[in-house]
């Protein structure tokens, strides 16, 4: 898959294709419907299949909202998932203030027409140009007759639209299993193992303290059944705690600590990927180390059961 990075005022070289448009954070089942529709059109026309996406998120650049932008998939992961869908070419346009100020007509002229698009596919709610003024209902006018387009209808699960916003909401509530259904795979985050306070090892449950490498959406505080994938490809059952360790500290930063089942190696400095499988329980403070150890033993047994299905 060819990956072409563009920063305004750079324009793509003309290369006829069917283009799917979207930010595609998560590349969830709804996004996959858009890309599948574009692939079908590309095959019928015997043209390459291209995706045009953006990075970073517009809200991060335009400063909308009080909270920092959190991502389901960083660009690297997004591109991996897009490639698996049979895409031939991806245009990654850097989202900047000058780019955001393009009128809808200028965006179509300088990026879609200039690229040689022969057919464009996007979701029903896709918008483009300054203030998102361009809509799928206006794309026929802005195309100047140079390409046709397909609008993909809303894709639902349990009578609700599948969207990146919905998945973020599920993760924030600890609902990693329904989030996985919408993503088509378990939610994943990648990070590096850093030194912690070694309390887990002292009580017989050594943990790998992860520092996420990106501004991921972090599931809500609690204990989870997870899989850990190491950089060498090995995959292990694990249980992961997201929290402030209230048994030991009254306050503190949120940490992500993972205890790998059936594993006894030094992971410091290594990169690993967490796959979030099931929520086990809330984080809570215990009355002493013995009570904590008893609960961790139960957590380990439950995690092993959930991961063995």
């Amino acid at each position: 898959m060819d990956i072409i990075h563009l920063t305004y005022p750079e324009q793509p070289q003309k290369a006829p294709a069917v283009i799917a448009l979207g930010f595609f954070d998560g590349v969830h089942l709804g996004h996959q419907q858009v890309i599948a529709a574009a692939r079908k059109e590309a095959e019928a026309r015997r043209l390459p299949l291209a995706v045009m996406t953006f990075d970073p998120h517009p809200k991060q650049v335009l400063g909308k909202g009080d909270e920092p932008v959190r991502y389901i998939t960083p660009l690297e992961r997004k591109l991996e998932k897009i490639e698996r869908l049979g895409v031939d070419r991806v245009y990654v346009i850097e989202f900047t203030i000058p780019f955001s100020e393009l009128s809808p007509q200028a965006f179509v002229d300088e990026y879609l027409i200039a690229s040689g698009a022969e057919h464009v596919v996007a979701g029903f709610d896709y918008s483009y140009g300054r203030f998102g003024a361009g809509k799928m209902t206006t794309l026929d006018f802005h195309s100047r007759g140079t390409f046709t387009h397909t609008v993909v209808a809303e894709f639902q699960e349990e009578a609700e639209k599948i969207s990146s916003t919905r998945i973020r909401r599920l993760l924030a509530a600890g609902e990693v299993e329904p989030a996985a259904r919408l993503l088509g795979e378990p939610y994943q985050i990648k990070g590096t193992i850093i030194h912690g306070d070694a309390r887990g090892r002292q009580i017989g449950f050594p943990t790998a303290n992860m520092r996420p490498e990106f501004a991921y959406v972090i599931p809500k505080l609690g204990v989870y059944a997870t899989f850990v994938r190491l950089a060498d490809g090995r995959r292990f059952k694990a249980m992961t705690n997201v929290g402030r360790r209230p048994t030991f500290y009254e306050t503190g930063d949120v940490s992500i600590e993972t205890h790998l089942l059936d594993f006894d190696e030094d992971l410091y400095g290594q990169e690993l990927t967490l796959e979030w499988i099931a929520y086990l329980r809330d984080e809570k403070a215990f009355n002493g180390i013995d009570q904590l150890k008893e609960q961790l033993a139960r957590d380990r047994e439950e995690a092993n059961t959930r991961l063995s299905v």
Side-chain angles (χ1 to χ4, degrees), residues 199-270:
R199 287 188 182 272
R201 185 169 297 278
Q202 294 168 15
I203 63 175
F205 291 85
T207 59
N209 193 337
M210 173 192 268
R211 179 175 60 203
E213 65 176 16
F214 197 74
Y216 290 98
V217 178
I218 304 299
K220 84 163 189 174
L221 304 190
V223 179
Y224 296 81
T226 57
F227 279 108
V228 168
R229 190 170 66 249
L230 305 184
D232 62 12
R234 290 182 295 163
R235 190 168 179 255
F236 295 91
K237 297 176 183 178
M239 61 182 190
T240 296
N241 183 76
V242 181
R244 295 187 170 88
R245 297 166 291 178
T247 301
F248 302 106
Y249 306 102
E250 291 185 6
T251 60
D253 295 332
V254 172
S255 64
I256 302 173
E257 295 184 287
T258 297
H259 171 69
L260 284 71
L261 282 57
D262 304 317
F263 183 87
D264 187 21
E265 297 177 26
D266 185 1
L267 289 173
Y268 288 123
Q270 294 191 43

Side-chain angles (χ1 to χ4, degrees), residues 103-222:
S103 69
Q105 187 65 67
F107 169 74
V108 172
D109 287 345
E110 297 180 34
Y111 288 92
L112 297 180
I113 295 175
S115 72
E118 294 198 10
H119 190 83
V120 169
V121 179
F124 73 101
D125 55 353
Y126 183 78
S127 61
Y128 57 93
R130 191 179 185 195
F131 302 131
K135 310 294 182 184
M136 294 308 290
T137 53
T138 64
L139 189 57
D140 187 52
F141 171 78
H142 289 134
S143 72
R144 301 182 190 273
T146 61
F147 61 80
T148 52
H149 73 275
T150 296
V151 180
V152 178
E154 179 174 286
F155 191 57
Q156 295 187 342
E157 188 260 2
E158 295 186 349
E160 184 179 354
K161 176 188 171 185
I162 297 176
S163 68
S164 300
T165 299
R166 180 180 172 188
I167 293 170
R168 292 189 190 99
R169 186 174 70 243
L170 288 169
L171 293 171
E175 298 183 49
V176 295
E177 291 172 275
R181 287 201 307 272
L182 304 189
L183 287 168
E185 63 178 9
Y187 180 57
Q188 299 180 19
I189 69 171
K190 185 184 290 186
T192 302
I193 301 307
I194 60 174
H195 285 280
D197 56 18
R199 287 188 182 272
R201 185 169 297 278
Q202 294 168 15
I203 63 175
F205 291 85
T207 59
N209 193 337
M210 173 192 268
R211 179 175 60 203
E213 65 176 16
F214 197 74
Y216 290 98
V217 178
I218 304 299
K220 84 163 189 174
L221 304 190

Side-chain angles (χ1 to χ4, degrees), residues 267-288:
L267 289 173
Y268 288 123
Q270 294 191 43
E271 185 179 77
L272 60 77
T273 300
L274 275 179
E275 300 176 7
W276 303 77
I277 305 301
Y279 184 77
L280 301 182
R281 64 172 175 85
D282 290 343
E283 183 184 48
K284 60 182 180 180
F286 294 93
N287 296 321

